[in-house]
Amino acid sequence: MRKILKVIAKTIKITLLTLGIIVAVLILLYFIPVKFVVQPEDIDYDKEFYIVCFITPYSTDSGCYIWNSQEDSLECRVDLTGADPRKDISSGIYNRIFNKFVIYGTLDGKQLHVDKWDILEKIDGGTHEKYLTLYDYIDLEFVLIDVYDNLRE
């Protein structure tokens, strides 16, 4: 009987230690930056770039718009190709009008080909204002919708 209790106690200790390590790693990942925001002086002015913002797909004017910084307004709607930030980060970040993205690439009519992107000045809707973490790259809204749909079936 004593051997069984020792085995159970050892199993519980190992399980708690493993759970503690997993929780510690998840908390640590919350603070590790993956991508930092850029300030206007950090933009590479030698390359062709555009400042864009996204309007939520739930709006009638949804899409990607080039931002006119002189007039502080939306200029024209464009379609993105290439390294689209919407493929990488959470929709909670790119669907906010206050988040502006610096898009390095080429504009051909209404088609903007993206080579590289950065977030300008600050992040609204992310875990932190000055950098993206691993959690910002996980689109929790769509994950929860997929889980809900699978449960309904």
Side-chain angles (χ1 to χ4, degrees):
M1 185 67 167
R2 226 175 218 192
K3 277 188 171 184
I4 295 173
L5 290 175
K6 283 185 179 183
V7 170
I8 292 173
K10 196 171 201 173
T11 305
I12 290 173
K13 283 182 186 179
I14 291 172
T15 305
L16 289 176
L17 181 65
T18 304
L19 287 174
I21 290 172
I22 291 171
V23 168
V25 166
L26 290 175
I27 289 172
L28 186 64
L29 287 176
Y30 180 80
F31 294 105
I32 295 176
V34 175
K35 187 174 189 110
F36 288 95
V37 299
V38 296
Q39 300 303 319
E41 58 269 8
D42 298 330
I43 296 174
D44 188 359
Y45 290 99
D46 295 333
K47 294 182 180 177
E48 183 178 354
F49 73 92
Y50 299 90
I51 297 175
V52 301
C53 62
F54 300 98
I55 295 182
T56 180
Y58 307 113
S59 171
T60 55
D61 294 332
S62 66
C64 175
Y65 288 85
I66 294 179
W67 186 262
N68 185 340
S69 55
Q70 276 98 14
E71 296 178 15
D72 201 29
S73 64
L74 300 174
E75 192 169 292
C76 68
R77 188 179 187 287
V78 293
D79 296 318
L80 295 183
T81 61
D84 190 340
R86 294 175 291 188
K87 295 177 186 172
D88 294 336
I89 60 176
S90 166
S91 62
I93 296 174
Y94 68 76
N95 278 339
R96 304 218 182 208
I97 190 74
F98 301 112
N99 289 333
K100 294 178 184 60
F101 294 79
V102 178
I103 302 289
Y104 296 99
T106 54
L107 182 63
D108 183 26
K110 295 278 184 182
Q111 193 102 14
L112 178 57
H113 180 75
V114 181
D115 295 326
K116 181 183 152 191
W117 61 271
D118 287 314
I119 297 179
L120 186 63
E121 294 177 342
K122 73 176 199 129
I123 301 169
D124 185 33
T127 54
H128 303 282
E129 280 192 355
K130 297 295 180 186
Y131 59 88
L132 295 173
T133 65
L134 187 63
Y135 294 113
D136 295 322
Y137 283 85
I138 301 170
D139 202 346
L140 216 61
E141 177 183 337
F142 291 114
V143 170
L144 292 175
I145 289 171
D146 287 343
V147 168
Y148 177 73
D149 289 342
N150 289 336
L151 288 175
R152 283 188 353 180
E153 293 173 358

